[in-house]
Amino acid sequence: MPFLIDGHNLIPKLGISLRNVDDEMQLVAHLQAFCRAERKQVEVYFDGAPTGQVGTRRLGLVTAHFVRLGSTADAAIRARLKTLGRAARNWTVVTSDRQVQADARAAGAIVISSDVFAGQVIDSMRAPAPGAAGEAGMSDAEVEDWLRLFREKPH
């Protein structure tokens, strides 16, 4: 199930300061790791973008929407839910804003608070990468055998 996320609600919940110049890209990096670990798709909305930075950027499995000054991420999330129509029930909205939560529920979407989702992101970063479990490393003796093999010159 994909996620619609209010980015500025989530940033401080992950220990990132909203005062950082690159706070949004730090969040995107965390979300990219989450998407890889959980095999999920994310759309994150940031409000207050200056004129030259307004727009949508695809960053791996994360789609970042930079909403123009004078509008809000909340309004953009509501508009996205409206365009999804009945498909909104297949999405999860991550926000701490009670009105957006109510609107998302009315659209049929699942709602998770930013606090709860931050915990999921942190947990996914602690978990081993997909496919890493069960992979055996080589013993020291095996490494030495391979090194010996590659050091030998063909005759």
Side-chain angles (χ1 to χ4, degrees):
M1 184 170 284
F3 294 87
L4 298 175
I5 299 173
D6 184 333
H8 287 139
N9 278 186
L10 185 57
I11 286 172
K13 308 299 182 191
L14 290 170
I16 303 168
S17 172
L18 287 167
R19 294 182 189 167
N20 289 354
V21 173
D22 64 344
D23 61 339
E24 293 160 346
M25 294 316 292
Q26 287 180 36
L27 175 60
V28 167
H30 286 305
L31 292 174
Q32 287 171 328
F34 170 79
C35 288
R36 281 190 302 273
E38 301 296 322
R39 301 181 191 277
K40 299 289 184 181
Q41 174 190 343
V42 163
E43 291 187 22
V44 60
Y45 293 80
F46 299 108
D47 43 27
T51 304
Q53 295 181 3
V54 171
T56 299
R57 293 176 191 81
R58 181 89 174 151
L59 306 161
L61 294 171
V62 176
T63 302
H65 302 275
F66 296 90
V67 181
R68 68 176 170 75
L69 280 168
S71 189
T72 65
D74 296 350
I77 290 169
R78 283 187 197 100
R80 178 70 169 121
L81 287 167
K82 190 173 184 176
T83 62
L84 287 169
R86 294 181 64 170
R89 66 179 180 222
N90 299 320
W91 289 72
T92 299
V93 175
V94 177
T95 183
S96 295
D97 183 280
R98 293 189 195 286
Q99 186 58 53
V100 176
Q101 289 176 347
D103 293 342
R105 284 188 187 98
I110 294 170
V111 175
I112 298 177
S113 72
S114 298
D115 286 318
V116 169
F117 186 73
Q120 292 178 13
V121 171
I122 291 166
D123 288 347
S124 74
M125 294 185 333
R126 289 184 187 139
E135 289 182 10
M138 290 192 288
S139 69
D140 290 340
E142 290 171 313
V143 170
E144 284 303 316
D145 288 341
W146 280 106
L147 288 172
R148 197 173 313 111
L149 178 69
F150 286 113
R151 283 188 203 124
E152 293 177 5
K153 293 185 180 182
H155 298 277

